[in-house]
mmCIF file of all heavy atoms in Angstrom:
data_model
loop_
_atom_site.group_PDB
_atom_site.id
_atom_site.type_symbol
_atom_site.label_atom_id
_atom_site.label_comp_id
_atom_site.label_asym_id
_atom_site.label_seq_id
_atom_site.Cartn_x
_atom_site.Cartn_y
_atom_site.Cartn_z
ATOM 1 N N GLY A 1 107.498 96.177 58.937
ATOM 2 C CA GLY A 1 106.068 96.094 59.124
ATOM 3 C C GLY A 1 105.472 97.244 59.898
ATOM 4 O O GLY A 1 104.796 98.106 59.338
ATOM 5 N N PHE A 2 105.749 97.293 61.221
ATOM 6 C CA PHE A 2 104.961 98.169 62.080
ATOM 7 C C PHE A 2 105.751 99.208 62.867
ATOM 8 O O PHE A 2 105.146 100.005 63.591
ATOM 9 C CB PHE A 2 104.154 97.311 63.066
ATOM 10 C CG PHE A 2 103.202 96.368 62.393
ATOM 11 C CD1 PHE A 2 103.532 95.037 62.206
ATOM 12 C CD2 PHE A 2 101.987 96.815 61.906
ATOM 13 C CE1 PHE A 2 102.665 94.163 61.580
ATOM 14 C CE2 PHE A 2 101.111 95.959 61.271
ATOM 15 C CZ PHE A 2 101.443 94.629 61.109
ATOM 16 N N TRP A 3 107.063 99.222 62.753
ATOM 17 C CA TRP A 3 107.852 100.164 63.556
ATOM 18 C C TRP A 3 109.105 100.553 62.776
ATOM 19 O O TRP A 3 110.056 99.797 62.697
ATOM 20 C CB TRP A 3 108.235 99.537 64.892
ATOM 21 C CG TRP A 3 108.995 100.449 65.816
ATOM 22 C CD1 TRP A 3 110.317 100.343 66.162
ATOM 23 C CD2 TRP A 3 108.496 101.576 66.540
ATOM 24 N NE1 TRP A 3 110.665 101.327 67.051
ATOM 25 C CE2 TRP A 3 109.558 102.109 67.302
ATOM 26 C CE3 TRP A 3 107.244 102.187 66.615
ATOM 27 C CZ2 TRP A 3 109.399 103.225 68.127
ATOM 28 C CZ3 TRP A 3 107.101 103.299 67.438
ATOM 29 C CH2 TRP A 3 108.158 103.805 68.175
ATOM 30 N N ASN A 4 109.073 101.732 62.234
ATOM 31 C CA ASN A 4 110.218 102.242 61.485
ATOM 32 C C ASN A 4 111.112 103.033 62.440
ATOM 33 O O ASN A 4 111.282 104.250 62.328
ATOM 34 C CB ASN A 4 109.737 103.143 60.343
ATOM 35 C CG ASN A 4 110.884 103.615 59.464
ATOM 36 O OD1 ASN A 4 111.853 102.901 59.255
ATOM 37 N ND2 ASN A 4 110.775 104.829 58.953
ATOM 38 N N GLY A 5 111.665 102.302 63.406
ATOM 39 C CA GLY A 5 112.514 102.915 64.423
ATOM 40 C C GLY A 5 113.376 101.857 65.073
ATOM 41 O O GLY A 5 113.454 100.719 64.614
ATOM 42 N N THR A 6 114.021 102.222 66.171
ATOM 43 C CA THR A 6 114.913 101.302 66.864
ATOM 44 C C THR A 6 114.225 100.677 68.080
ATOM 45 O O THR A 6 113.155 101.115 68.507
ATOM 46 C CB THR A 6 116.172 102.030 67.345
ATOM 47 O OG1 THR A 6 115.790 102.999 68.340
ATOM 48 C CG2 THR A 6 116.875 102.746 66.191
ATOM 49 N N LYS A 7 114.900 99.672 68.630
ATOM 50 C CA LYS A 7 114.405 99.047 69.853
ATOM 51 C C LYS A 7 114.359 100.067 70.988
ATOM 52 O O LYS A 7 113.373 100.131 71.736
ATOM 53 C CB LYS A 7 115.301 97.868 70.233
ATOM 54 C CG LYS A 7 114.860 97.105 71.465
ATOM 55 C CD LYS A 7 115.890 96.103 71.935
ATOM 56 C CE LYS A 7 116.173 95.036 70.911
ATOM 57 N NZ LYS A 7 117.112 93.999 71.415
ATOM 58 N N SER A 8 115.401 100.866 71.114
ATOM 59 C CA SER A 8 115.442 101.867 72.186
ATOM 60 C C SER A 8 114.334 102.900 72.035
ATOM 61 O O SER A 8 113.765 103.366 73.035
ATOM 62 C CB SER A 8 116.806 102.567 72.206
ATOM 63 O OG SER A 8 117.836 101.659 72.558
ATOM 64 N N GLN A 9 114.018 103.254 70.807
ATOM 65 C CA GLN A 9 112.926 104.207 70.593
ATOM 66 C C GLN A 9 111.584 103.609 71.008
ATOM 67 O O GLN A 9 110.733 104.309 71.556
ATOM 68 C CB GLN A 9 112.884 104.628 69.121
ATOM 69 C CG GLN A 9 113.983 105.596 68.723
ATOM 70 C CD GLN A 9 113.954 105.933 67.244
ATOM 71 O OE1 GLN A 9 113.797 105.044 66.392
ATOM 72 N NE2 GLN A 9 114.088 107.205 66.931
ATOM 73 N N TYR A 10 111.417 102.322 70.760
ATOM 74 C CA TYR A 10 110.188 101.682 71.233
ATOM 75 C C TYR A 10 110.146 101.661 72.758
ATOM 76 O O TYR A 10 109.096 101.948 73.373
ATOM 77 C CB TYR A 10 110.035 100.257 70.705
ATOM 78 C CG TYR A 10 108.900 99.553 71.430
ATOM 79 C CD1 TYR A 10 107.570 99.857 71.140
ATOM 80 C CD2 TYR A 10 109.156 98.656 72.471
ATOM 81 C CE1 TYR A 10 106.523 99.268 71.843
ATOM 82 C CE2 TYR A 10 108.120 98.066 73.184
ATOM 83 C CZ TYR A 10 106.810 98.379 72.865
ATOM 84 O OH TYR A 10 105.776 97.813 73.573
ATOM 85 N N PHE A 11 111.257 101.318 73.387
ATOM 86 C CA PHE A 11 111.274 101.272 74.848
ATOM 87 C C PHE A 11 110.916 102.628 75.442
ATOM 88 O O PHE A 11 110.208 102.714 76.444
ATOM 89 C CB PHE A 11 112.638 100.805 75.341
ATOM 90 C CG PHE A 11 112.917 99.336 75.120
ATOM 91 C CD1 PHE A 11 114.184 98.816 75.336
ATOM 92 C CD2 PHE A 11 111.916 98.472 74.701
ATOM 93 C CE1 PHE A 11 114.448 97.473 75.144
ATOM 94 C CE2 PHE A 11 112.161 97.123 74.493
ATOM 95 C CZ PHE A 11 113.438 96.620 74.721
ATOM 96 N N GLU A 12 111.403 103.697 74.833
ATOM 97 C CA GLU A 12 111.053 105.037 75.314
ATOM 98 C C GLU A 12 109.565 105.314 75.084
ATOM 99 O O GLU A 12 108.905 105.946 75.930
ATOM 100 C CB GLU A 12 111.903 106.093 74.617
ATOM 101 C CG GLU A 12 111.594 107.535 75.021
ATOM 102 C CD GLU A 12 111.865 107.828 76.486
ATOM 103 O OE1 GLU A 12 112.719 107.134 77.100
ATOM 104 O OE2 GLU A 12 111.228 108.760 77.024
ATOM 105 N N LEU A 13 109.022 104.837 73.965
ATOM 106 C CA LEU A 13 107.590 104.993 73.720
ATOM 107 C C LEU A 13 106.790 104.233 74.780
ATOM 108 O O LEU A 13 105.771 104.736 75.281
ATOM 109 C CB LEU A 13 107.223 104.474 72.332
ATOM 110 C CG LEU A 13 105.765 104.748 71.924
ATOM 111 C CD1 LEU A 13 105.636 106.159 71.349
ATOM 112 C CD2 LEU A 13 105.264 103.721 70.916
ATOM 113 N N TYR A 14 107.250 103.045 75.130
ATOM 114 C CA TYR A 14 106.583 102.291 76.200
ATOM 115 C C TYR A 14 106.627 103.079 77.501
ATOM 116 O O TYR A 14 105.612 103.174 78.219
ATOM 117 C CB TYR A 14 107.232 100.921 76.402
ATOM 118 C CG TYR A 14 106.559 100.149 77.522
ATOM 119 C CD1 TYR A 14 105.412 99.399 77.269
ATOM 120 C CD2 TYR A 14 107.037 100.221 78.829
ATOM 121 C CE1 TYR A 14 104.757 98.725 78.297
ATOM 122 C CE2 TYR A 14 106.385 99.560 79.867
ATOM 123 C CZ TYR A 14 105.244 98.816 79.596
ATOM 124 O OH TYR A 14 104.592 98.176 80.615
ATOM 125 N N LYS A 15 107.781 103.651 77.806
ATOM 126 C CA LYS A 15 107.915 104.422 79.042
ATOM 127 C C LYS A 15 106.901 105.556 79.094
ATOM 128 O O LYS A 15 106.187 105.721 80.100
ATOM 129 C CB LYS A 15 109.332 104.973 79.154
ATOM 130 C CG LYS A 15 109.581 105.844 80.382
ATOM 131 C CD LYS A 15 111.021 106.330 80.417
ATOM 132 C CE LYS A 15 111.293 107.200 81.642
ATOM 133 N NZ LYS A 15 112.713 107.652 81.687
ATOM 134 N N GLN A 16 106.829 106.329 78.029
ATOM 135 C CA GLN A 16 105.906 107.453 78.000
ATOM 136 C C GLN A 16 104.445 106.984 78.078
ATOM 137 O O GLN A 16 103.613 107.612 78.741
ATOM 138 C CB GLN A 16 106.133 108.283 76.738
ATOM 139 C CG GLN A 16 107.491 108.961 76.677
ATOM 140 C CD GLN A 16 107.736 109.868 77.874
ATOM 141 O OE1 GLN A 16 106.838 110.559 78.345
ATOM 142 N NE2 GLN A 16 108.971 109.866 78.361
ATOM 143 N N SER A 17 104.152 105.875 77.425
ATOM 144 C CA SER A 17 102.782 105.344 77.441
ATOM 145 C C SER A 17 102.409 104.835 78.829
ATOM 146 O O SER A 17 101.308 105.112 79.331
ATOM 147 C CB SER A 17 102.646 104.215 76.418
ATOM 148 O OG SER A 17 103.020 104.641 75.126
ATOM 149 N N ALA A 18 103.296 104.066 79.436
ATOM 150 C CA ALA A 18 103.017 103.506 80.759
ATOM 151 C C ALA A 18 102.850 104.609 81.801
ATOM 152 O O ALA A 18 101.932 104.560 82.638
ATOM 153 C CB ALA A 18 104.136 102.552 81.170
ATOM 154 N N LEU A 19 103.719 105.604 81.747
ATOM 155 C CA LEU A 19 103.606 106.719 82.686
ATOM 156 C C LEU A 19 102.297 107.472 82.481
ATOM 157 O O LEU A 19 101.657 107.908 83.448
ATOM 158 C CB LEU A 19 104.796 107.658 82.528
ATOM 159 C CG LEU A 19 106.165 107.099 82.942
ATOM 160 C CD1 LEU A 19 107.272 108.101 82.614
ATOM 161 C CD2 LEU A 19 106.191 106.743 84.424
ATOM 162 N N ALA A 20 101.892 107.616 81.219
ATOM 163 C CA ALA A 20 100.643 108.326 80.929
ATOM 164 C C ALA A 20 99.435 107.570 81.468
ATOM 165 O O ALA A 20 98.550 108.159 82.100
ATOM 166 C CB ALA A 20 100.513 108.537 79.424
ATOM 167 N N VAL A 21 99.377 106.267 81.236
ATOM 168 C CA VAL A 21 98.254 105.458 81.719
ATOM 169 C C VAL A 21 98.202 105.470 83.243
ATOM 170 O O VAL A 21 97.143 105.699 83.852
ATOM 171 C CB VAL A 21 98.360 104.019 81.177
ATOM 172 C CG1 VAL A 21 97.337 103.108 81.866
ATOM 173 C CG2 VAL A 21 98.159 103.993 79.670
ATOM 174 N N LYS A 22 99.339 105.249 83.883
ATOM 175 C CA LYS A 22 99.377 105.167 85.341
ATOM 176 C C LYS A 22 99.136 106.512 86.010
ATOM 177 O O LYS A 22 98.720 106.564 87.184
ATOM 178 C CB LYS A 22 100.718 104.587 85.791
ATOM 179 C CG LYS A 22 100.949 103.137 85.391
ATOM 180 C CD LYS A 22 100.045 102.176 86.156
ATOM 181 C CE LYS A 22 100.408 100.726 85.853
ATOM 182 N NZ LYS A 22 99.610 99.756 86.640
ATOM 183 N N SER A 23 99.392 107.602 85.280
ATOM 184 C CA SER A 23 99.130 108.919 85.862
ATOM 185 C C SER A 23 97.647 109.144 86.092
ATOM 186 O O SER A 23 97.249 109.947 86.943
ATOM 187 C CB SER A 23 99.694 110.017 84.953
ATOM 188 O OG SER A 23 98.921 110.156 83.768
ATOM 189 N N VAL A 24 96.823 108.444 85.348
ATOM 190 C CA VAL A 24 95.367 108.542 85.524
ATOM 191 C C VAL A 24 94.929 107.720 86.724
ATOM 192 O O VAL A 24 94.160 108.179 87.571
ATOM 193 C CB VAL A 24 94.640 108.097 84.245
ATOM 194 C CG1 VAL A 24 93.128 108.067 84.456
ATOM 195 C CG2 VAL A 24 95.012 109.003 83.079
ATOM 196 N N ASN A 25 95.421 106.498 86.808
ATOM 197 C CA ASN A 25 95.135 105.638 87.956
ATOM 198 C C ASN A 25 96.167 104.526 87.972
ATOM 199 O O ASN A 25 96.337 103.816 86.971
ATOM 200 C CB ASN A 25 93.724 105.059 87.883
ATOM 201 C CG ASN A 25 93.333 104.328 89.147
ATOM 202 O OD1 ASN A 25 93.862 103.271 89.473
ATOM 203 N ND2 ASN A 25 92.381 104.897 89.888
ATOM 204 N N ASN A 26 96.814 104.349 89.109
ATOM 205 C CA ASN A 26 97.912 103.392 89.193
ATOM 206 C C ASN A 26 97.448 101.944 89.078
ATOM 207 O O ASN A 26 98.261 101.048 88.857
ATOM 208 C CB ASN A 26 98.667 103.580 90.509
ATOM 209 C CG ASN A 26 100.025 102.910 90.487
ATOM 210 O OD1 ASN A 26 100.808 103.087 89.546
ATOM 211 N ND2 ASN A 26 100.319 102.119 91.504
ATOM 212 N N GLU A 27 96.146 101.691 89.211
ATOM 213 C CA GLU A 27 95.644 100.323 89.109
ATOM 214 C C GLU A 27 95.292 99.922 87.681
ATOM 215 O O GLU A 27 94.937 98.768 87.430
ATOM 216 C CB GLU A 27 94.414 100.161 90.004
ATOM 217 C CG GLU A 27 94.716 100.289 91.487
ATOM 218 C CD GLU A 27 93.486 100.020 92.328
ATOM 219 O OE1 GLU A 27 92.903 98.918 92.205
ATOM 220 O OE2 GLU A 27 93.087 100.918 93.093
ATOM 221 N N LEU A 28 95.379 100.845 86.737
ATOM 222 C CA LEU A 28 95.149 100.493 85.334
ATOM 223 C C LEU A 28 96.296 99.620 84.839
ATOM 224 O O LEU A 28 97.448 99.792 85.239
ATOM 225 C CB LEU A 28 95.022 101.755 84.491
ATOM 226 C CG LEU A 28 93.844 102.664 84.850
ATOM 227 C CD1 LEU A 28 93.867 103.917 83.979
ATOM 228 C CD2 LEU A 28 92.510 101.932 84.693
ATOM 229 N N LYS A 29 95.981 98.683 83.935
ATOM 230 C CA LYS A 29 96.949 97.666 83.509
ATOM 231 C C LYS A 29 97.586 98.021 82.171
ATOM 232 O O LYS A 29 96.884 98.268 81.185
ATOM 233 C CB LYS A 29 96.258 96.299 83.423
ATOM 234 C CG LYS A 29 95.861 95.748 84.787
ATOM 235 C CD LYS A 29 95.082 94.453 84.685
ATOM 236 C CE LYS A 29 93.636 94.689 84.316
ATOM 237 N NZ LYS A 29 92.784 93.493 84.551
ATOM 238 N N VAL A 30 98.918 98.022 82.159
ATOM 239 C CA VAL A 30 99.660 98.366 80.948
ATOM 240 C C VAL A 30 100.739 97.314 80.713
ATOM 241 O O VAL A 30 101.275 96.730 81.653
ATOM 242 C CB VAL A 30 100.279 99.784 81.064
ATOM 243 C CG1 VAL A 30 101.324 99.835 82.163
ATOM 244 C CG2 VAL A 30 100.842 100.253 79.737
ATOM 245 N N GLY A 31 101.053 97.059 79.440
ATOM 246 C CA GLY A 31 102.066 96.055 79.143
ATOM 247 C C GLY A 31 102.521 96.095 77.701
ATOM 248 O O GLY A 31 102.070 96.904 76.891
ATOM 249 N N GLY A 32 103.425 95.193 77.360
ATOM 250 C CA GLY A 32 104.026 95.058 76.044
ATOM 251 C C GLY A 32 104.967 93.865 76.084
ATOM 252 O O GLY A 32 104.883 93.050 76.995
#
C-alpha cells in the first residue's frame, strides 16, 4: 500500500523527521 521499504527504513525516516521537527522548536509534537 504505502511503503515500499523495510521496517528499519521507516524507523530511520522517523528519526530524520523527528530530528527535523524538533530542530525548529523542541516543544513541537511529533509521533508515529
Side-chain angles (χ1 to χ4, degrees):
F2 300 99
W3 183 250
N4 184 34
T6 65
K7 182 190 298 184
S8 294
Q9 285 177 315
Y10 169 75
F11 287 170
E12 179 63 26
L13 187 84
Y14 179 85
K15 178 179 180 179
Q16 295 303 321
S17 304
L19 293 175
V21 170
K22 294 290 186 176
S23 72
V24 175
N25 188 291
N26 196 49
E27 294 184 58
L28 298 177
K29 291 175 281 195
V30 65

